[in-house]
Amino acid sequence: MTTLKRRTFLSAGAAAALGTVSGIAQAKSFDPMPAQWDENFDVIVIGSGFAGLAAACEAKNQGAGNVIVLEKMRSAGGNSVINGGIMSVPGSAFQKALGIKDSLELLAEDMIREGLGYNYPEKVSAMTKAALPTYEWLVKEIGVEFVDGKVGQEGGHSVPRHVYTTNGSGSGIVSKQLEYAKKIGVPVRLRCYVEAIIRDSDGRVKGVKVRDGYRFGKPDSGKVKYLKAGKALVLCYGGFGADVNFRMKFDPKLTDKFETTNQPGATSELWREASRIGCNMIQTDWIQCGPWNSPEEKGMGIALYFAQGAAATMGIWVNTATGKRFINELANRKVRADAVINNNNKGQPCIALADQNAVDLTINQTRKGILDKQLERKVVHKFDTLEAVAAEYKIPLDELKKTIDAYNAALAKQSGDEMGRPFTKNAKPMGTGPWYCSLLSPKVHHCMGGVETNSLGQVIDISTDKPIPGLYAAGESTGGVHGAVRLGSCATMDCLVNGRIAGANAAKESAWS
Amino acid sequence: MTTLKRRTFLSAGAAAALGTVSGIAQAKSFDPMPAQWDENFDVIVIGSGFAGLAAACEAKNQGAGNVIVLEKMRSAGGNSVINGGIMSVPGSAFQKALGIKDSLELLAEDMIREGLGYNYPEKVSAMTKAALPTYEWLVKEIGVEFVDGKVGQEGGHSVPRHVYTTNGSGSGIVSKQLEYAKKIGVPVRLRCYVEAIIRDSDGRVKGVKVRDGYRFGKPDSGKVKYLKAGKALVLCYGGFGADVNFRMKFDPKLTDKFETTNQPGATSELWREASRIGCNMIQTDWIQCGPWNSPEEKGMGIALYFAQGAAATMGIWVNTATGKRFINELANRKVRADAVINNNNKGQPCIALADQNAVDLTINQTRKGILDKQLERKVVHKFDTLEAVAAEYKIPLDELKKTIDAYNAALAKQSGDEMGRPFTKNAKPMGTGPWYCSLLSPKVHHCMGGVETNSLGQVIDISTDKPIPGLYAAGESTGGVHGAVRLGSCATMDCLVNGRIAGANAAKESAWS
């Protein structure tokens, strides 16, 4: 009886939803088409980061014809070019050589657990499957160079699984993507700002209105032009981390007191425009702060490579007021950023702390030369003794010593870390000076939400639940991949894998006329 | 130097965002107006729950003229009519008589802390200020009856602060609102389904396309009509908790395995439609499950009044596999629902447990007769001994006894509850049979997100950040009030306070012609 009732109830609900959707669709209104197009393309890609360049090149290689990448800023690469240059590759040869046991399922589990189950399972599964082939494509086709034999571990991952670009930055990928794009005939047009997406009365996206020769910060600059997308438009415009007003609509805590790691062009205009033309915007209020940034430099900076790469794996993070650790330094970014923010709000600054052994075993191998730069820029500071560290940051010395003793004791037993942090292979007890420190101050880093897409990268219409004809998306502009919390080294994978999927499917669209 | 750089950076970003918005606005497209309107109104309110009825009556009283409420279902009241009939009233005479110290600031703190700071602070502040006057209006103007002298405490609240309707249901409010609406000349048109919102080329919302005589579940039923809103349209259409497909877009975990406490009409069509016409949808992925529901009945049911009203305050919640408590029974709904879901997923059912003293001191006073109904419907079960409880639910008896002893010991000292739960005034030690139990199974309950509104209840345009002329909203259809987690007894307050604000301001709109 209960079962029967339930079925009736559910089927009534399903029918209503269906009817509703078809009812709304007929009332839909769309944009007027321009009297004529100024330029004609087959596939237009908005955004020149990892995802946009991957989408455009894949579209070109799949026979899309005339492909162009539009970038509003005066240089290419968006946030990707200032990204840390790490990428999750489960099952890499490097992992195997180091005897690290990993699997696609384990990566998917990590992503979904830390993403609080907000991830779309089919997207996670598709992405993890494509990670290794995409890495091989990067190396063999695009010519990207990675640090030989090194594998790192970001917070929230169960095992070390990310590779490092040799130049220690996402620019090591973007620069090669740009060379490749040039080689295969995909132009990147800089200072070309997309002011409107044209969705015609038949529901298809057919082009964009741009300001060509746009100067960032001058809204009326550039020449207005209409560009036709004969096959498809691909949205790879990234996040809105630098847009204080817009991000506060979704998370009012993220006021202008929070800096951002993002480049200044990470603003909201195309998020608004995507919503206006009928895209479904999902999970937009999950905006991640990077927990490892330093208040002693602007933007993303370079201190994080110490705080994360050395201190979080072979050192500790310390609350200067108490001399104690306050979080699992390998917890996910949200958990750590929240913990640091709470301490900062109480007037208790936090530092990342590591000794000479720790930096020698980590960043001095994976990011050669970075430590000198960090010291030179005074974002990482060097002290001969622990006493000097305590004096500088006003840390109770006895408590700090107890904290280090406890960490060393647990490390020696390989069990019982007081914060539940897994022990990093080859980690040595802390104690050999000199010591290194950076201050911690979370900055707005990544938008987990975005347009809803299906497994082909097609963008879903809010009214009909069907793909919007001629519209694709990938990367930070999409939602549902990372769920509530993006794990470090998973954005590069997301952008490249899903950029290629979107580009390949965009190329297959039939042309309208 | 750093300060200067930062200022330059921020002002560049701000200028860009501004330019962007004005740039997009000119490209906006809108709906065609109907050739003629079938019926003319000054203010049209969609939805007949607490918010819709409050908005319509307030608009009428403020001189709006011809006001109507549209309801797609065959009876009025939406989820409000099956709501538990409790409302937060900080500073009530009942609180004072009981010596409970409360303040507007304390309620705001509770809401924002449990809402994880996603609440818009100005909305919380306005609502808490209006709570007591709204309660007095309910009693004096609308004629709602509340249980004399009784004040209750829901999870996440620091102190007992909610009043109870005498009939133990939101229907005790809705029925009086309906009488009042009739008295002042505000008709409620049932089976009138809004298929489209008409937003004209000047950007103003001017009316709706409806199906009059609609039958829920039959999308093509009813007669198509165009209704003119000469002053304003007010969106009080509620949440989408019953729409499995739509809710899974935002939180993929909430599959059809989760039942809902909502009435079947709580579907997504107007959420989609609001987005289509250019509303900004915020915080849509915060969808709350009620932690206290029973799998032994459909929908909201009545077992929750035992699980929450008796067991969470003067009894305990127990994991049957371990015999132990597993959560602060007065934690917020999300924390508790997540804990129960995790246990259920591990195959460890949870129960709410209370003894005769507990029910006598709680629901037997505030909801007279409910316990008999709960027992009759077999959603609360009665046992003579603790041994019988343990046998029925396969609980390790020794562990269960230890758990109760620990609770009683902490209660006796008035400190050290193992789950950090505050002690309820006058609570007695557990131990006097008979015992009462209900099974726990979270059900989808409340959508925290919705359209962005300002403090006047005006709906904000995604492209321009300005109010959409002629469009207002209140209640569950709006976001930013409750943040990540709505506290129990705050929805009634939200709907009534913000419904009245939206209605009053809608009445003040100048008429278009």
Side-chain angles (χ1 to χ4, degrees), chain B residues 2-284:
Chain B
T2 305
T3 311
L4 183 64
K5 268 192 203 155
R6 180 161 185 216
R7 195 176 304 138
T8 313
F9 169 74
L10 284 175
S11 63
L18 193 68
T20 294
V21 165
S22 73
I24 286 170
Q26 68 192 78
K28 186 107 199 161
S29 79
F30 296 98
D31 297 285
M33 292 276 278
Q36 67 171 66
W37 298 102
D38 296 294
E39 296 184 57
N40 297 300
F41 300 94
D42 296 295
V43 172
I44 297 175
V45 178
I46 306 177
S48 65
F50 294 143
L53 294 171
C57 292
E58 197 66 24
K60 185 76 180 179
N61 285 339
Q62 299 283 334
N66 193 4
V67 178
I68 191 171
V69 176
L70 307 181
E71 169 57 56
K72 73 178 175 190
M73 305 303 281
R74 65 183 178 186
S75 59
N79 282 333
S80 301
V81 84
I82 53 171
N83 149 304
I86 57 175
M87 174 175 163
S88 275
V89 186
S92 72
F94 298 164
Q95 265 191 335
K96 285 178 187 161
L98 291 165
I100 298 164
K101 283 191 185 158
D102 199 3
S103 69
L104 307 187
E105 293 71 26
L106 186 59
L107 173 55
E109 251 176 51
D110 288 349
M111 289 182 69
I112 291 175
R113 180 188 63 250
E114 303 296 336
L116 305 179
Y118 281 90
N119 328 56
Y120 284 24
E122 69 280 10
K123 286 202 177 187
V124 172
S125 165
M127 194 170 65
T128 55
K129 270 184 206 146
L132 181 57
T134 301
Y135 164 76
E136 287 165 353
W137 162 84
L138 273 183
V139 172
K140 291 175 194 163
E141 289 289 308
I142 310 299
V144 177
E145 290 172 9
F146 292 94
V147 178
D148 195 35
K150 290 289 167 196
V151 177
Q153 180 170 8
E154 284 277 307
H157 289 275
S158 296
V159 296
R161 59 165 65 103
H162 73 70
V163 295
Y164 300 83
T165 55
T166 51
N167 80 338
S169 162
S171 65
I173 300 171
V174 169
S175 61
K176 296 291 179 180
Q177 285 185 290
L178 287 169
E179 281 174 24
Y180 183 83
K182 194 169 183 182
K183 190 175 77 180
I184 65 171
V186 173
V188 177
R189 188 177 297 185
L190 303 177
R191 286 183 170 161
C192 188
Y193 171 81
V194 175
E195 189 167 277
I197 298 170
I198 311 293
R199 191 172 178 195
D200 195 7
S201 55
D202 61 2
R204 181 163 181 163
V205 167
K206 296 193 173 167
V208 289
K209 178 187 178 192
V210 302
R211 288 184 171 271
D212 207 0
Y214 170 79
R215 297 175 83 82
F216 182 68
K218 297 193 188 302
D220 298 328
S221 60
K223 184 168 181 232
V224 171
K225 285 184 185 171
Y226 289 88
L227 310 189
K228 174 180 168 177
K231 288 185 172 176
L233 176 69
V234 188
L235 308 176
C236 301
Y237 48 69
F240 58 79
D243 194 326
V244 176
N245 171 35
F246 198 69
R247 74 191 190 209
M248 283 182 68
K249 290 173 180 283
F250 300 98
D251 188 345
K253 293 186 296 297
L254 299 178
T255 64
D256 58 8
K257 284 188 190 160
F258 283 78
E259 285 197 49
T260 179
T261 64
N262 290 192
Q263 48 99 14
T267 51
S268 65
E269 64 274 10
L270 284 169
W271 288 69
R272 297 168 183 269
E273 182 64 358
S275 178
R276 183 190 72 79
I277 65 153
C279 301
N280 185 25
M281 311 304 286
I282 58 169
Q283 304 175 346
T284 40

Side-chain angles (χ1 to χ4, degrees), chain A residues 209-259:
Chain A
K209 178 188 176 192
V210 302
R211 288 185 172 271
D212 207 0
Y214 171 80
R215 297 175 81 85
F216 182 67
K218 296 192 188 303
D220 298 328
S221 60
K223 186 171 180 230
V224 171
K225 285 184 185 172
Y226 289 87
L227 311 189
K228 174 180 169 178
K231 287 185 171 176
L233 176 68
V234 188
L235 308 176
C236 301
Y237 48 69
F240 57 79
D243 194 325
V244 176
N245 171 37
F246 197 69
R247 75 190 189 209
M248 283 181 68
K249 290 172 180 283
F250 300 98
D251 187 345
K253 292 185 297 298
L254 299 178
T255 64
D256 59 8
K257 283 188 190 161
F258 283 79
E259 286 198 48

